Amino acid sequence: MKKHAESMKNRSSSKISAKWIPIFCIPSFLLGMLITSRMWAVPESNGQLISTRRQEQELQIVSEDCETKKKLGQEKDVMNEIYKTHESIQHIRSLDKQMASIQMELAAARSSKEMGVSDDSTATSVLQKDNSAKKKALDNSAKKKAFIVIGINTAFSSRKRRDSVRETWMPQGEKLLQLEREKGIVIRFMIGHSATSNSILDRAIDSEESQHKDFLRLEHVEGYHELSAKTKTFFTTAVAKWDADFYVKVDDDVHVNLGMLASTLAHHRSKPRVYIGCMKSGPVLAQKSVKYHEPEHWKFGEAGNKYFRHATGQIYAISKDLATYISINQPILHKYANEDVSLGSWFIGLEVEHIDERNMCCGTPPDCEWKAQAGNVCIASFDWSCSGICKSVEKIKFVHEKCGEGDAAVWGSLF
């Protein structure tokens, strides 16, 4: 019985194992297929990954190369644009200068016409002149090239002032001519004539001119209240005689360092219309009892108003085309009581660059002396309280010793 029971149990176990065989075979088959598929797919996937990465690296290299070329191209385009802009600016400046030259020729023609045929009596007088006088007039009409023309405003009674200027900052004799030839700087005392023809005052100036040859005679009747008219006449006369880059007006009681003046103006040489000086805006004085009374004060608005910005009258500089503008339009330019106000008014409404140059209005020592010691040499020095150097005949030599730049500043420089 025991053997029979064991036999039945073994059969039963064997029967159960046979039943589960298909169930185990199917999952085994599927698992085998899955493992086989993965083993074959991995190498293919790795190859694709490597290929993709290589393509991405190649694309990145190409992209970076393109970006670099693009940046280089952009930089080149920017430089080309800068170069073209610079060329355009230079061309515009050249055109401005050409226009100024044309205006100069117009001014000379108009001035010659006004001076030569102003009325019948003048025309008759001209026709009666001999051939030598005509030849001299033709020679004088040829304008000389210059860098700066400096007109020193002076009066009949100012002989001692003129001598003090000659002994300090203004060269004399051959040195004056050398300054014109080598540096293009022309310096002249500008003065008109007296109300009486051939007066003792005029003869004294003629004698002084024969000795020093440093005067520019103007067709103008001298008088303190005629400074605005004298200024117009100076610029008109100077433009007709010299073709200069700048025209400067300075009073005979002001100390000037020519080298500093020339180097400062040289910085503005390429600009077409410049007005350079110590710019100010003082009060419009309506009271008749004061020194700088303005008879036309009502034109400047309410009482207590100030003038428009303008250069102080002791010294200022204007470029060629502004001087030409004055020359062409001088018959219709309005004259105010104060010369510096008149000049400033003539440029209102024009495209003019006002340059406030504080080195053109230094004080006398110790002010200009301290600045010179600090390496900031002044262009001009005077005392505000006197509208010039106080007692300039006695003091200008002292100012020159303390604040002068030295001869090398003008003779050793290129402008």
Side-chain angles (χ1 to χ4, degrees):
M1 282 296 291
K2 186 176 180 181
K3 289 182 179 180
H4 179 76
E6 287 177 357
S7 176
M8 289 297 291
K9 184 178 180 181
N10 289 339
R11 286 180 183 178
S12 175
S13 299
S14 177
K15 187 176 180 181
I16 291 170
S17 297
K19 182 180 179 180
W20 283 96
I21 287 171
I23 296 173
F24 282 115
C25 286
I26 292 170
S28 298
F29 175 77
L30 293 174
L31 181 62
M33 289 293 291
L34 180 63
I35 291 170
T36 305
S37 175
R38 290 287 295 171
M39 289 181 68
W40 284 103
V42 167
E44 185 180 354
S45 177
N46 286 338
Q48 289 178 351
L49 183 60
I50 293 169
S51 177
T52 302
R53 285 181 178 176
R54 285 180 180 174
Q55 288 177 0
E56 286 177 353
Q57 289 175 353
E58 290 174 358
L59 286 172
Q60 185 177 359
I61 292 169
V62 171
S63 176
E64 288 176 355
D65 187 52
C66 289
E67 285 295 324
T68 303
K69 290 180 178 179
K70 186 178 179 182
K71 286 180 181 178
L72 290 173
Q74 288 175 345
E75 289 176 0
K76 189 176 180 181
D77 290 341
V78 169
M79 292 302 296
N80 286 335
E81 288 299 321
I82 292 172
Y83 179 74
K84 289 178 182 177
T85 303
H86 179 71
E87 279 192 332
S88 300
I89 291 170
Q90 293 297 324
H91 182 62
I92 290 168
R93 287 177 176 171
S94 175
L95 289 176
D96 283 336
K97 287 199 169 186
Q98 289 176 14
M99 288 296 295
S101 298
I102 293 169
Q103 288 176 334
M104 290 279 287
E105 293 174 5
L106 280 171
R110 183 173 293 186
S111 297
S112 299
K113 184 177 179 181
E114 289 174 355
M115 293 174 67
V117 292
S118 58
D119 53 41
D120 292 339
S121 62
T122 305
T124 303
S125 170
V126 171
L127 289 172
Q128 290 175 346
K129 292 185 180 293
D130 58 20
N131 290 334
S132 61
K134 288 179 180 178
K135 184 178 179 181
K136 185 178 179 181
L138 287 172
D139 291 340
N140 290 336
S141 66
K143 288 188 291 186
K144 301 173 184 176
K145 293 288 291 182
F147 173 30
I148 309 169
V149 173
I150 302 172
I152 306 174
N153 183 38
T154 191
F156 289 117
S157 60
S158 298
R159 172 63 191 260
K160 290 183 178 180
R161 282 189 180 182
R162 291 191 290 274
D163 285 341
S164 68
V165 169
R166 292 181 181 115
E167 291 169 2
T168 52
W169 63 267
M170 178 182 177
Q172 299 181 66
E174 180 58 32
K175 283 285 186 181
L176 188 65
L177 298 176
Q178 185 182 354
L179 189 67
E180 295 179 23
R181 290 193 306 266
E182 296 182 9
K183 303 299 178 181
I185 301 174
V186 178
I187 310 175
R188 296 289 187 274
F189 289 105
M190 58 167 173
I191 195 167
H193 54 81
S194 64
T196 305
S197 178
N198 198 31
S199 70
I200 189 172
L201 297 174
D202 290 310
R203 292 198 299 272
I205 294 297
D206 291 339
S207 175
E208 193 177 342
E209 162 64 9
S210 65
Q211 180 184 355
H212 294 285
K213 301 188 185 305
D214 55 6
F215 279 92
L216 177 64
R217 301 301 298 272
L218 306 177
E219 289 298 322
H220 166 78
V221 178
E222 284 293 322
Y224 179 77
H225 296 292
E226 296 298 327
L227 287 179
S228 294
K230 185 176 183 179
T231 299
K232 286 199 299 184
T233 305
F234 162 63
F235 287 123
T236 300
T237 306
V239 163
K241 191 173 179 65
W242 291 283
D243 179 12
D245 292 324
F246 294 97
Y247 298 84
V248 177
K249 178 262 176 181
V250 61
D251 290 337
D252 60 5
D253 55 356
V254 172
H255 180 268
V256 178
N257 281 318
L258 291 173
M260 279 302 299
L261 174 64
S263 61
T264 300
L265 295 182
H267 288 307
H268 305 290
R269 209 169 190 171
S270 62
K271 300 174 182 178
R273 291 168 296 279
V274 289
Y275 173 32
I276 308 170
C278 284
M279 298 295 163
K280 64 175 185 177
S281 178
V284 180
L285 302 176
Q287 299 87 354
K288 291 184 179 180
S289 58
V290 297
K291 183 178 180 181
Y292 297 111
H293 165 62
E294 178 57 73
E296 298 179 89
H297 57 86
W298 62 273
K299 289 185 177 180
F300 299 92
E302 301 300 324
N305 280 357
K306 291 186 176 182
Y307 288 112
F308 40 79
R309 287 280 172 185
H310 61 279
T312 188
Q314 286 84 354
I315 180 173
Y316 51 75
I318 60 174
S319 57
K320 173 166 53 178
D321 32 2
L322 292 183
T324 303
Y325 171 81
I326 293 172
S327 175
I328 293 172
N329 298 285
Q330 58 96 10
I332 59 171
L333 292 177
H334 185 69
K335 301 186 295 291
Y336 288 100
N338 299 303
E339 165 241 347
D340 52 356
V341 173
S342 295
L343 184 77
S345 72
W346 298 338
F347 302 146
I348 291 179
L350 303 182
E351 287 292 340
V352 176
E353 182 178 352
H354 290 57
I355 297 174
D356 186 16
E357 180 53 73
R358 306 315 294 180
N359 265 353
M360 293 178 81
C361 54
C362 295
T364 55
D367 179 45
C368 59
E369 184 180 9
W370 289 342
K371 290 178 180 177
Q373 291 173 354
N376 188 23
V377 179
C378 292
I379 296 171
S381 302
F382 56 88
D383 296 308
W384 282 104
S385 59
C386 298
S387 297
I389 297 174
C390 298
K391 297 181 179 181
S392 66
V393 174
E394 295 83 13
K395 192 178 177 181
I396 194 169
K397 187 173 288 187
F398 170 72
V399 176
H400 187 64
E401 289 173 355
K402 296 296 183 181
C403 305
E405 62 191 351
D407 292 341
V410 64
W411 295 109
S413 300
L414 296 175
F415 307 116

